[in-house]
Amino acid sequence: MVRPCPSVGPRGRLRAWPGARELAPSLRARPARCRRLLPRGGAAPAVGGAEAGPGGGPSGAGGAAAKAGDMTDNIPLQPVRQKKRMDSRPRTGCCEWLRCCGRGEPRPRTVWLGHPEKRDQRYPRNVINNQKYNLFTFLPGVLFNQFKYFFNLYFLLLACSQFVPEMRLGALYTYWVPLGFVLAVTIIREAVEEIRCYVRDKEVNSQVYSRLTARVCFFAGTVKVKSANIQVGDLIIVEKNQRVPADMIFLRTSEKNGSCFLRTDQLDGETDWKLRLPVACTQRLPTAADLLQIRSYVYAEEPNIDIHNFVGTFTREDSDPPISESLSIENALWAGTVIASGTVVGVVLYTGRELRSVMNTSNPRSKIGLFDLEVNCLTKILFGALVVVSLVMVALQHFAGRWYLQIIRFLLLFSNIIPISLRVNLDMGKIVYSWVIRRDSKIPGTVVRSSTIPEQLGRISYLLTDKTGTLTQNEMVFKRLHLGTVAYGLDSMDEVQSHIFSIYTQSQDPPAQKGPTLTTKVRRTMSSRVHEAVKAIALCHNVTPVYESNGVTDQAEAEKHYEDSCRVYQASSPDEVALVQWTESVGLTLVGRDQSSMQLRTPGDQILNFTILQIFPFTYESKRMGIIVRDESTGEITFYMKGADVVMAGIVQYNDWLEEECGNMAREGLRVLVVAKKSLAEEQYQDFEARYVQAKLSVHDRSLKVATVIESLEMEMELLCLTGVEDQLQADVRPTLETLRNAGIKVWMLTGDKLETATCTAKNAHLVTRNQDIHVFRLVTNRGEAHLELNAFRRKHDCALVISGDSLEVCLKYYEYEFMELACQCPAVVCCRCAPTQKAQIVRLLQERTGKLTCAVGDGGNDVSMIQESDCGVGVEGKEGKQASLAADFSVTQFKHLGRLLVVHGRNSYKRSAALSQFVIHRSLCISTMQAVFSSVFYFASVPLYQGFLIIGYSTIYTMFPVFSLVLDKDVKSEVAMLYPELYKDLLKGRPLSYKTFLIWVLISIYQGSTIMYGALLLFESEFVHIVAISFTSLILTELLMVALTIQTWHWLMTVAELLSLACYIASLVFLHEFIDVYFIATLSFLWKVSVITLVSCLPLYVLKYLRRRFSPPSYSKLTS
């Protein structure tokens, strides 16, 4: 039983201990807000109760109380470093300096079970709000986000200027209708997103739960409560398959084994179920209603973002002596997870914005494509040209009169130089590209989550990929059992089975060891060695067998008789499931497990019962897991442990084969685990248990103290065996990597696996070709070693680099520029033992040092930071869940789909957008050139050439459909693009949209605009409206012919768009009598003049295109013939 703190009595009152008399006045002198952390009675909760120093005074966690005035404020808790929020979402609540809504620094809390009114601070409401705006801020917010960019602000000022009579150039709608259309599209899109968010949030906040409540006459009952109305301290009942509404401590379960399973895929991305344990004190209560009859509280750490750890204590005050239990992540139910088994009762600890899931949710950085930045740069050049042309026009008037007004009028007159339709066309084009990707039957299941950057896929230079679950299937197959003197592979597993069979058929009782001293002296037979190894593997894990109905046998019956056909193994790691499935195949089957026991079935159908005394779960820091069990038949206590060879080498007894065999198995691509055991005497275990319980009750430095106690057992353990598990490659990984390499994309593999396994996978997947050397970067720990190793690497040529995360950190610390320069020259790079933050750091350094676009591919929660940091993130929906997929810009179901996504869709998207943007600019420059010629001929007058509907119709119904049909154009078929990935290389230099191509289109626009305008001025008759009729008709026909000239592969929709636009123009002439002489356009004179002008403007360009294809054909032309 836990010993009570000597400084705190049964009811929380201070006992007589040295210093208590001096402490009492200081407690009374403290302001009320400093005493809020104390439970009723004024004394500190017995959180450090198990730590007593000599003489009855507290030490360790309780030692802080010995200092006068430190007991209340300095309730010791391990501080958790908070990550800075990177999102720009406004948080709800009032000002920072007000405490009325629970703002301010997060603090530890004391939560009384079933008594939310006994709170020591104000807590936020349990409301989930993912909306960016509310009813009042929506319109101002959307408009601000639109007009903070120069492009949109320019057109707003342009439209507003038309309210000034001196600046008005035509009807108001010619400026406000295009701007209003662009804004309407944006507002509608934002409104739809906000409504969707509101509906999702309302659905979550309105979910109904049962809350335990005290009714009249001290009888307890339940009331229904919405998720949004749940408060800290409420006792909430959560049913099976129901979402946990708030961060809670697990108090009770209806499951007979005293535990429950949790689905956490929406929190950490892992699909495997997690085992959670209730507080032992509350689980022992007869009914859930008794929770309201006891006087107990939970002391919890302050809210933080760490979803994998929790520190707190549970105290029941109305028992004598008070009962204290330590709380950890095993007792926590985080909001957003789903109960997978039984019905649970929990007490709410955190709500609203203090939820772990909410604190871990930050808006990823808004990715702006390189293509959009280039278009924005061209827009600025056009604006410069607009200003220059306006100044030249006024200068040619010798700045006469109110010249400043003339400058503004010319700025308005030539405003078409910057096309307002450019952004609309490109955005609609992105939507089409996303739709085409989703509809591609050859990459089924592909999802486009960010439709703003499809062009990025066409210019990737570096692909950074995870290994496990991305290049490999994350399906583990047991391949090797190594006992030191003998190894068993897949072809010799029947020998292992025969050894196990012989052990259990010779005697009904399993072999029991006589003691640790005798065991080491007596040479055991091979059968007993194999049996010990298999038994250790069958017991040392966190796997739980779950029985499900198979249609013939129901769940209860299957669980009672251990039906093999109904059994499914659940664990947090596929490695462990593979190991337990292997022990089943050789004769030792895990058939039952609960919180305190485990059952194995032998080949003779005998059930072996083991009591689980302690479990030490696997962590990334310890890289090992252990379990202490008692054999019910013999009473023997055994400590089993398995882990990575790097940590187990210092734990097991001396041997001369461990390191060598681990290296050999790793070179075969196997994941290696070292399995060891240690027999414990009863007294030895009792001493350990007392120290372990005391360490777990500590709140200050708990993890360090617990680790120290466990390490006292981890000495001179007996090495039993090595296990080798293989993670098989995904389908078509090798041809996909070959395609990407031929496309000019360098592939880097970033993994958390060990160096040998990562190297073997790189060779197996042909990430490193057979004729390439591999330079394994030696482990370096300081600047001098890093300098020598970099010099050695510099002398290598055309070789792949393999480096560990530790060495990488040292190199980046001292020689960041030199290392990145050398690494970027490598055909392939493998970084092993990489932390998630290191993966993101490598992506960031590649972007900064090379200026090239990066694409990150991953499938697990540890890849999210890398995916969000990259220019283009691709998530693979794998066994590790959907967290990476949901965080990515694009989601695929298999790695092999990445080749088509980049080489076909990425290439097409980029080339189509490049053609579309330049054609829209060309369309605007043509009409601006005509305006400039018109103004210069008529004495630089700031009079518009086209007014009213003509100017609007030109960029909408007359030319919009043919121009937009360019998003369906393609230079080669998708099969050809996949067969010749070298075509992708041309895009890496950005040639489809460059200053050269932009200048060519500008010259074409000036030539055609001048030709049309001067032709109309030369051929028109007496009236001005004839100039408008001839020039505008020639302009429309020229644009339609130029679209036909630009198209490389005709689509039936393109033909329809061309004919439809021409028909719309001819039909609208009837209604344009205000601008065009209807009788004149019906004459033969009009027809031949328009034909001549159109021919002169377009024929030279058709001739030039023919000559270029004839004498300087593009790279793809041979493939299309």
Side-chain angles (χ1 to χ4, degrees):
M1 187 168 62
V2 180
R3 291 172 291 180
C5 174
S7 62
V8 181
R11 300 294 176 186
R13 296 187 294 272
L14 290 173
R15 287 181 178 177
W17 56 275
R21 190 181 301 276
E22 291 80 10
L23 177 63
S26 69
L27 281 175
R28 287 194 297 269
R30 287 294 173 101
R33 65 178 179 84
C34 296
R35 295 199 299 270
R36 284 181 188 162
L37 291 180
L38 298 177
R40 300 291 171 108
V47 289
E51 302 176 67
S59 65
K67 298 179 182 179
D70 284 353
M71 187 167 182
T72 50
D73 280 349
N74 295 333
I75 301 270
L77 270 178
Q78 184 70 21
V80 180
R81 187 172 299 170
Q82 298 257 2
K83 286 187 181 177
K84 185 179 178 182
R85 280 176 66 100
M86 299 303 292
D87 59 308
S88 57
R89 269 187 313 185
R91 297 196 193 181
T92 57
C94 49
C95 306
E96 290 288 345
W97 46 270
L98 291 178
R99 297 295 182 104
C100 62
C101 57
R103 297 300 295 268
E105 290 299 317
R107 295 178 291 161
R109 60 191 60 188
T110 300
V111 178
W112 292 85
L113 268 62
H115 295 284
E117 71 279 358
K118 292 184 181 180
R119 55 190 177 195
D120 53 10
Q121 51 185 296
R122 293 185 67 88
Y123 304 118
R125 289 187 64 212
N126 193 43
V127 176
I128 302 299
N129 183 11
N130 292 307
Q131 295 172 250
K132 290 188 287 186
Y133 313 102
N134 58 36
L135 191 62
F136 302 103
T137 62
F138 173 72
L139 199 58
V142 172
L143 293 178
F144 172 76
N145 285 329
Q146 285 300 304
F147 294 127
K148 69 181 180 182
Y149 297 109
F150 168 77
F151 190 83
N152 292 333
L153 183 61
Y154 165 73
F155 285 107
L156 176 67
L157 295 174
L158 208 67
C160 289
S161 67
Q162 294 305 289
F163 290 111
V164 181
E166 290 85 355
M167 298 180 186
R168 182 174 296 179
L169 293 174
L172 283 175
Y173 68 84
T174 57
Y175 290 91
W176 280 101
V177 168
L179 181 63
F181 175 75
V182 172
L183 290 178
V185 168
T186 304
I187 290 171
I188 291 171
R189 186 179 61 196
E190 289 285 341
V192 169
E193 286 296 321
E194 284 296 289
I195 291 170
R196 285 177 179 171
C197 266
Y198 172 76
V199 171
R200 285 196 299 264
D201 292 344
K202 186 177 181 181
E203 183 182 350
V204 172
N205 293 326
S206 300
Q207 287 182 348
V208 177
Y209 295 85
S210 297
R211 181 180 68 195
L212 281 176
T213 180
R215 290 182 175 172
V216 188
C217 301
F218 302 101
F219 288 106
T222 61
V223 294
K224 298 296 182 182
V225 60
K226 288 185 177 180
S227 174
N229 298 329
I230 290 174
Q231 302 179 43
V232 173
D234 282 344
L235 296 174
I236 302 297
I237 301 171
V238 187
E239 305 287 343
K240 182 180 178 181
N241 293 324
Q242 201 172 17
R243 184 187 71 90
V244 178
D247 289 352
M248 306 195 302
I249 290 299
F250 184 14
L251 299 178
R252 285 182 61 81
T253 177
S254 61
E255 293 287 278
K256 289 181 290 185
N257 59 9
S259 62
C260 85
F261 279 107
L262 205 62
R263 293 203 299 267
T264 63
D265 53 330
Q266 296 304 313
L267 183 66
D268 58 13
E270 297 178 2
T271 55
D272 296 297
W273 294 2
K274 306 295 189 304
L275 186 70
R276 289 293 182 262
L277 308 175
V279 177
C281 173
T282 52
Q283 179 65 20
R284 289 195 296 266
L285 295 174
T287 64
D290 293 324
L291 290 169
L292 292 167
Q293 309 304 321
I294 63 174
R295 181 177 171 81
S296 56
Y297 60 84
V298 172
Y299 179 74
E301 63 184 350
E302 69 272 15
N304 61 74
I305 64 172
D306 191 354
I307 61 173
H308 300 294
N309 292 290
F310 174 74
V311 176
T313 55
F314 173 87
T315 303
R316 180 175 177 181
E317 282 194 334
D318 56 356
S319 62
D320 194 11
I323 298 174
S324 290
E325 291 186 38
S326 64
L327 301 176
S328 67
I329 186 62
E330 290 182 337
N331 311 111
L333 305 173
W334 298 143
T337 58
V338 177
I339 302 298
S341 63
T343 300
V344 305
V345 181
V347 58
V348 176
L349 283 189
Y350 309 112
T351 53
R353 64 173 176 275
E354 293 179 344
L355 297 175
R356 289 291 206 271
S357 55
V358 173
M359 296 181 79
N360 273 280
T361 304
S362 61
N363 290 335
R365 70 183 183 95
S366 182
K367 295 182 181 180
I368 302 175
L370 178 61
F371 176 81
D372 293 317
L373 295 176
E374 290 173 344
V375 169
N376 193 44
C377 184
L378 296 182
T379 306
K380 292 176 181 176
I381 293 173
L382 292 174
F383 179 73
L386 168 64
V387 174
V388 169
V389 170
S390 302
L391 288 173
V392 168
M393 287 293 179
V394 176
L396 291 173
Q397 291 180 337
H398 307 291
F399 295 97
R402 292 195 292 179
W403 57 270
Y404 48 87
L405 277 179
Q406 287 297 315
I407 291 178
I408 296 174
R409 283 179 64 86
F410 275 117
L411 286 172
L412 297 171
L413 201 59
F414 296 126
S415 61
N416 282 321
I417 289 179
I418 304 176
I420 192 172
S421 59
L422 178 60
R423 176 54 51 203
V424 178
N425 276 280
L426 290 178
D427 286 347
M428 291 171 65
K430 293 173 194 287
I431 294 172
V432 172
Y433 308 147
S434 302
W435 181 81
V436 170
I437 291 173
R438 286 195 294 267
R439 291 294 300 270
D440 191 344
S441 60
K442 294 187 178 178
I443 49 172
T446 302
V447 179
V448 181
R449 302 193 190 279
S450 177
S451 60
T452 58
I453 55 171
E455 298 91 357
Q456 299 278 78
L457 294 170
R459 305 177 68 180
I460 301 298
S461 297
Y462 288 93
L463 179 76
L464 301 102
T465 175
D466 180 40
K467 182 182 79 71
T468 307
T470 305
L471 294 178
T472 59
Q473 295 181 17
N474 205 12
E475 287 185 0
M476 305 301 170
V477 180
F478 191 95
K479 284 295 185 77
R480 186 75 53 84
L481 177 71
H482 206 298
L483 301 177
T485 56
V486 63
Y488 298 97
L490 283 177
D491 54 347
S492 54
M493 288 303 172
D494 53 339
E495 295 182 35
V496 177
Q497 195 170 2
S498 64
H499 284 308
I500 299 297
F501 187 79
S502 65
I503 285 287
Y504 286 104
T505 52
Q506 288 172 6
S507 171
Q508 287 295 352
D509 296 324
Q513 307 302 331
K514 304 300 181 186
T517 54
L518 187 61
T519 303
T520 54
K521 292 179 181 178
V522 178
R523 180 182 176 84
R524 294 173 294 175
T525 64
M526 181 55 67
S527 291
S528 64
R529 287 183 62 195
V530 170
H531 166 257
E532 280 298 328
V534 173
K535 187 169 80 168
I537 297 169
L539 289 171
C540 187
H541 52 72
N542 259 321
V543 181
T544 302
V546 178
Y547 292 88
E548 300 173 350
S549 174
N550 62 358
V552 179
T553 311
D554 65 7
Q555 184 177 349
E557 189 71 18
E559 195 168 345
K560 182 178 179 181
H561 298 289
Y562 302 134
E563 290 286 341
D564 291 344
S565 60
C566 303
R567 186 170 52 248
V568 178
Y569 292 119
Q570 282 293 345
S572 57
S573 167
D575 299 56
E576 292 205 313
V577 174
L579 293 173
V580 172
Q581 285 174 340
W582 175 77
T583 63
E584 179 182 0
S585 70
V586 296
L588 209 53
T589 306
L590 174 70
V591 292
R593 179 176 185 152
D594 56 27
Q595 191 175 340
S596 58
S597 65
M598 201 183 307
Q599 291 79 38
L600 300 181
R601 186 171 63 197
T602 68
D605 283 336
Q606 181 188 1
I607 301 298
L608 306 179
N609 291 294
F610 296 88
T611 301
I612 300 173
L613 301 176
Q614 301 290 346
I615 296 179
F616 315 117
F618 175 87
T619 64
Y620 288 108
E621 291 77 24
S622 66
K623 295 183 175 64
R624 59 189 182 273
M625 73 85 58
I627 188 170
I628 301 178
V629 297
R630 176 187 277 116
D631 191 334
E632 290 297 308
S633 61
T634 63
E636 186 180 76
I637 299 174
T638 311
F639 174 33
Y640 292 106
M641 176 167 281
K642 69 180 179 188
D645 58 312
V646 287
V647 293
M648 295 296 289
I651 292 174
V652 300
Q653 296 169 348
Y654 173 76
N655 61 85
D656 56 359
W657 60 273
L658 175 63
E659 185 178 355
E660 181 183 356
E661 294 302 332
C662 283
N664 291 339
M665 291 170 70
R667 278 186 283 276
E668 295 178 32
L670 302 179
R671 293 178 134 193
V672 184
L673 284 176
V674 181
V675 184
K677 79 164 201 174
K678 184 176 187 178
S679 296
L680 303 177
E682 184 70 34
E683 299 78 15
Q684 188 179 1
Y685 173 71
Q686 292 298 335
D687 174 65
F688 165 79
E689 185 184 32
R691 291 184 289 116
Y692 184 63
V693 170
Q694 184 175 353
K696 283 177 70 177
L697 277 173
S698 169
V699 179
H700 183 61
D701 288 336
R702 177 191 292 180
S703 57
L704 179 64
K705 292 174 181 175
V706 168
T708 304
V709 174
I710 296 174
E711 284 172 7
S712 66
L713 278 186
E714 297 173 343
M715 294 185 293
E716 292 298 308
M717 297 189 71
E718 180 186 353
L719 175 59
L720 295 177
C721 65
L722 305 180
T723 63
V725 177
E726 183 185 51
D727 193 359
Q728 296 179 323
L729 285 178
Q730 292 259 18
D732 294 333
V733 162
R734 291 169 186 160
T736 301
L737 289 175
E738 184 73 23
T739 297
L740 297 175
R741 189 161 43 244
N742 291 335
I745 300 172
K746 292 186 177 181
V747 183
W748 289 29
M749 186 170 80
L750 313 180
T751 176
D753 250 340
K754 64 185 301 179
L755 188 141
E756 291 83 2
T757 309
T759 307
C760 181
T761 304
K763 290 179 179 176
N764 197 18
H766 293 177
L767 177 64
V768 179
T769 57
R770 293 181 179 179
N771 56 356
Q772 280 177 350
D773 293 329
I774 296 179
H775 178 82
V776 179
F777 206 88
R778 191 168 54 87
L779 185 65
V780 296
T781 55
N782 55 53
R783 183 170 187 162
E785 293 177 355
H787 180 76
L788 293 173
E789 192 62 22
L790 282 171
N791 281 338
F793 178 46
R794 193 184 297 274
R795 291 190 286 270
K796 301 287 184 71
H797 296 286
D798 192 37
C799 71
L801 172 66
V802 178
I803 186 170
S804 68
D806 295 334
S807 300
L808 177 69
E809 190 173 353
V810 174
C811 290
L812 294 180
K813 182 178 180 182
Y814 297 112
Y815 298 105
E816 180 184 296
Y817 177 80
E818 292 82 358
F819 174 79
M820 292 304 297
E821 182 186 18
L822 292 172
C824 290
Q825 296 172 2
C826 295
V829 176
V830 177
C831 297
C832 54
R833 299 292 193 199
C834 264
T837 50
Q838 276 186 318
K839 292 183 178 183
Q841 184 186 13
I842 293 169
V843 173
R844 191 162 52 249
L845 286 172
L846 272 175
Q847 293 168 340
E848 293 172 356
R849 295 297 178 190
T850 65
K852 303 288 181 65
L853 294 187
T854 59
C855 176
V857 190
D859 72 314
N862 59 336
D863 303 315
V864 169
S865 54
M866 170 178 75
I867 286 172
Q868 291 184 342
E869 188 64 43
S870 65
D871 296 296
C872 183
V874 179
V876 180
E877 290 188 14
K879 297 215 166 191
E880 293 186 32
K882 292 187 175 183
Q883 193 173 3
S885 168
L886 293 172
D889 305 304
F890 302 88
S891 171
V892 295
T893 54
Q894 296 182 57
F895 182 82
K896 67 178 182 180
H897 294 165
L898 192 64
R900 187 174 178 86
L901 186 66
L902 297 180
V903 174
V904 175
H905 293 289
R907 184 174 183 274
N908 286 342
S909 298
Y910 176 48
K911 295 204 73 169
R912 288 166 176 172
S913 284
L916 178 62
S917 60
Q918 292 178 121
F919 204 95
V920 172
I921 291 172
H922 156 76
R923 185 177 64 184
S924 299
L925 283 175
C926 266
I927 198 168
S928 299
T929 302
M930 292 171 66
Q931 178 66 58
V933 171
F934 177 77
S935 295
S936 60
V937 167
F938 289 94
Y939 306 102
F940 310 107
S942 54
V943 177
L945 173 61
Y946 305 122
Q947 295 185 15
F949 185 77
L950 288 183
I951 199 71
I952 294 178
Y954 170 67
S955 56
T956 53
I957 62 171
Y958 297 152
T959 60
M960 181 178 70
F961 298 115
V963 171
F964 188 68
S965 68
L966 290 173
V967 300
L968 303 173
D969 192 21
K970 56 183 177 182
D971 52 359
V972 294
K973 293 181 179 179
S974 57
E975 294 78 14
V976 175
M978 287 295 293
L979 192 60
Y980 299 98
E982 291 80 6
L983 292 171
Y984 189 89
K985 280 184 183 178
D986 294 340
L987 307 186
L988 299 181
K989 298 176 182 178
R991 286 175 179 167
L993 180 66
S994 61
Y995 290 120
K996 178 183 176 182
T997 58
F998 174 67
L999 182 60
I1000 290 172
W1001 276 105
V1002 169
L1003 294 175
I1004 291 173
S1005 304
I1006 293 173
Y1007 165 74
Q1008 290 185 324
S1010 303
T1011 301
I1012 294 170
M1013 197 64 238
Y1014 278 118
L1017 290 170
L1018 288 171
L1019 299 176
F1020 88 104
E1021 312 221 347
S1022 55
E1023 297 188 31
F1024 174 75
V1025 288
H1026 293 176
I1027 298 178
V1028 174
I1030 294 170
S1031 63
F1032 194 75
T1033 306
S1034 301
L1035 179 62
I1036 297 296
L1037 292 176
T1038 298
E1039 289 301 319
L1040 296 180
L1041 289 172
M1042 285 301 295
V1043 170
L1045 178 68
T1046 307
I1047 291 172
Q1048 292 165 341
T1049 304
W1050 280 87
H1051 189 280
W1052 67 271
L1053 283 175
M1054 297 176 174
T1055 308
V1056 170
E1058 291 265 327
L1059 296 176
L1060 181 64
S1061 297
L1062 187 59
C1064 285
Y1065 177 64
I1066 294 172
S1068 66
L1069 289 175
V1070 180
F1071 307 101
L1072 297 177
H1073 53 83
E1074 182 183 350
F1075 310 106
I1076 295 174
D1077 186 353
V1078 179
Y1079 299 104
F1080 173 67
I1081 60 175
T1083 62
L1084 189 63
S1085 172
F1086 170 78
L1087 293 176
W1088 77 260
K1089 289 175 182 178
V1090 168
S1091 301
V1092 169
I1093 293 172
T1094 305
L1095 199 64
V1096 172
S1097 69
C1098 293
L1099 185 61
L1101 297 174
Y1102 273 84
V1103 173
L1104 286 174
K1105 181 178 180 179
Y1106 170 77
L1107 293 175
R1108 186 185 175 192
R1109 280 185 170 272
R1110 176 82 172 150
F1111 298 106
S1112 180
S1115 56
Y1116 58 82
S1117 59
K1118 295 179 182 178
L1119 305 177
T1120 54
S1121 59

